[in-house]
Amino acid sequence: MKSKGLAYILWFLCAFSIFGAQRFYCKRYISGFIYLFTFGFFGIGQFIDLFTIPNMVDEENLKYQALYGYQNININGNPQVTINVDGRKSHTYKTANNKKVSDTIKILQAAKNNRGMINLSDCVLATGKETARVKQTLDQMCKDGLIEITNLPDSGAIVYKLL
């Protein structure tokens, strides 16, 4: 993650005839070289950067977050989960130790956290996939003997029970 303070310190290097360091820091290499060899685009570019540095840093931080996910530790000390939503890859998430977790594991974990019972809505929320794909996964889990389909006695709602 880039720091606005450091970008401004690098901008100030123009006082020592080092122009464009803030551009290199924000991965704007072409304009960085132009600034370096044209004395900050004749001082005009250096002056404009005084006001545009926050946007450049924010833009670079957003690119970083989009590529690598925002790594944050929440209140109870567990790492935040980053979900991969790229349609060409399976929808798994990586935990702190970079283990990929399958949809089956997500569903089993959600059922375990819900006293061994889970409904279709909970499975869709746990996996982040569309209903048809979750139903296919649940059917396969039934065939594999991991869960069974049952009804709640009081409401008759369909639920999946861990075996």
Side-chain angles (χ1 to χ4, degrees), residues 21-32:
Q22 73 279 4
R23 291 268 169 176
F24 287 108
Y25 179 66
C26 291
K27 295 185 180 179
R28 288 167 169 74
Y29 302 115
I30 294 172
S31 60

Side-chain angles (χ1 to χ4, degrees), residues 10 12 18 24 29-30 35 39 42 51 73 83 90 107 112-113 118 123 135-136 146 154 156-157:
L10 294 172
F12 187 70
I18 301 173
F24 287 108
Y29 302 115
I30 294 172
Y35 277 39
F39 303 104
F42 309 108
F51 303 103
I73 304 297
I83 298 174
S90 64
I107 291 170
K112 179 181 173 190
N113 294 340
I118 194 167
C123 295
K135 283 183 180 179
Q136 288 175 348
L146 297 172
D154 54 356

Side-chain angles (χ1 to χ4, degrees), residues 103-105 107-108 136-148 162:
D103 292 334
T104 302
I105 300 297
I107 291 170
L108 291 173
Q136 288 175 348
T137 303
L138 290 169
D139 289 341
Q140 185 61 45
M141 291 172 69
C142 287
K143 290 176 186 173
D144 294 340
L146 297 172
I147 58 174
E148 68 178 1
L162 289 177

Side-chain angles (χ1 to χ4, degrees), residues 1-2 27 57-72 80 82-83:
M1 301 290 289
K2 304 291 182 183
K27 295 185 180 179
V57 171
D58 288 342
E59 211 173 286
E60 193 57 39
N61 288 338
L62 283 174
K63 287 178 189 175
Y64 179 85
Q65 289 174 0
L67 286 173
Y68 304 110
Y70 183 66
Q71 299 299 320
N72 189 14
Q80 179 176 341
T82 303
I83 298 174

